[in-house]
Amino acid sequence: MQKSLALLASGMGTNAEALIRAVSLHPEWNLSIAVVISDKETAPVLKRAEQLGVPSMAVPYSSSFGKKVHEEKILSLLDEHKVSWVCLAGYMRILSSHFLAHYFNKEEHYYQVVNIHPSLLPAFPGKDAYKEAFLAGVKVSGVTVHLVDEGIDSGPILIQQFFYRYQEDHFSDFQMRGKEIEWQIYPQVLELIAQNRIATSIFRKVHI
Ligand code: GRF
């Protein structure tokens, strides 16, 4: 049976693009990206997705109605599209345990929500990980694809790849080296989802 996925993103959407392109290159995965949702009306990811043939919509957040209502709006869209997996691709909001509960896999005990984070977790969780790693003077950094849990970037790790920081690197060189790895490794998780290999791919539980 085909699995239906949704992407949640707040920004440029370069990872969303990599995921969309991978799905269309791999019909044998039998996956469909049903919808791209952004919490920001002006996020470039919305146009990017439409140009690639994937419906996209903004569900803007407002403090007048709060997190619960915002998440309910998103959940009802995801239900409409019969989404079984959610991929966060630069989504800048923390999902509540109520939201995550909708995607709980009862047999394998994880949430069917994945995220990409631009550091070698558990190092540098949270916002601005490239900046923090660079300013900390790391010689090696990396990118992590992980399952989402109730914490911040603390869920079980599925894929991780390192890259070097060179002495002559400016921040932009360092970040671009990482981004190129992001676009390569995030699509790999789609194959794991397609082949029901998530549980057996967890290689590290993160304890921060
Ligand atoms: C990426 O660096 C990703 O690792 C982080 O947010 C950024 C999103 O970039 N979670 P983009 O919108 O996919 O270009």
Side-chain angles (χ1 to χ4, degrees):
M1 203 178 73
Q2 192 178 59
K3 294 187 180 94
S4 180
L5 278 59
L7 313 184
L8 302 190
S10 306
M12 292 307 291
T14 63
N15 280 285
E17 174 165 349
L19 295 175
I20 293 167
R21 288 192 186 281
V23 164
S24 56
L25 270 173
H26 291 278
E28 76 281 7
W29 288 349
N30 209 10
L31 300 177
S32 130
I33 297 185
V35 65
V36 174
I37 296 175
S38 180
D39 58 326
K40 298 246 164 34
E41 253 161 338
T42 54
V45 65
L46 294 170
K47 259 209 192 108
R48 202 187 274 263
E50 293 287 340
Q51 277 163 0
L52 293 163
V54 175
S56 70
M57 56 199 73
V59 181
Y61 173 80
S62 160
S63 52
S64 65
F65 51 71
K67 187 181 178 96
K68 192 162 195 317
V69 171
H70 183 242
E71 287 191 342
E72 286 301 339
K73 289 182 188 197
I74 295 175
L75 283 169
S76 66
L77 280 171
L78 300 182
D79 286 348
E80 253 172 54
H81 287 90
K82 302 202 181 344
V83 165
S84 59
W85 277 88
V86 175
C87 302
L88 307 182
Y91 188 61
M92 299 309 285
R93 312 194 66 78
I94 307 294
L95 298 172
S96 70
S97 48
H98 171 75
F99 183 102
L100 292 174
H102 280 70
Y103 292 94
F104 190 61
N105 181 319
K106 292 190 192 74
E107 284 79 44
E108 300 187 333
H109 295 271
Y110 54 75
Y111 302 114
Q112 294 190 170
V113 180
V114 288
N115 184 40
I116 183 153
H117 184 78
S119 75
L120 283 180
L121 288 172
F124 306 110
K127 270 202 288 183
D128 296 326
Y130 280 125
K131 253 270 137 63
E132 285 192 14
F134 188 79
L135 292 177
V138 297
K139 300 257 184 318
V140 172
S141 193
V143 174
T144 303
V145 180
H146 65 95
L147 288 166
V148 173
D149 67 7
E150 289 82 359
I152 295 178
D153 301 320
S154 55
I157 291 175
L158 299 167
I159 303 168
Q160 213 163 32
Q161 188 171 322
F162 78 91
F163 63 90
Y164 291 112
R165 177 242 192 90
Y166 299 112
Q167 214 163 15
E168 65 275 18
D169 272 356
H170 295 291
F171 174 66
S172 58
D173 305 315
F174 176 79
Q175 185 178 33
M176 188 44 70
R177 199 167 303 124
K179 293 287 272 192
E180 281 171 4
I181 290 174
E182 294 188 33
W183 307 326
Q184 282 168 28
I185 72 168
Y186 206 5
Q188 293 171 13
V189 84
L190 299 179
E191 187 169 21
L192 301 179
I193 292 172
Q195 298 174 349
N196 300 316
R197 287 167 50 214
I198 290 291
T200 54
S201 302
I202 293 171
F203 75 87
R204 190 190 291 162
K205 308 256 188 210
V206 182
H207 300 285
I208 299 176

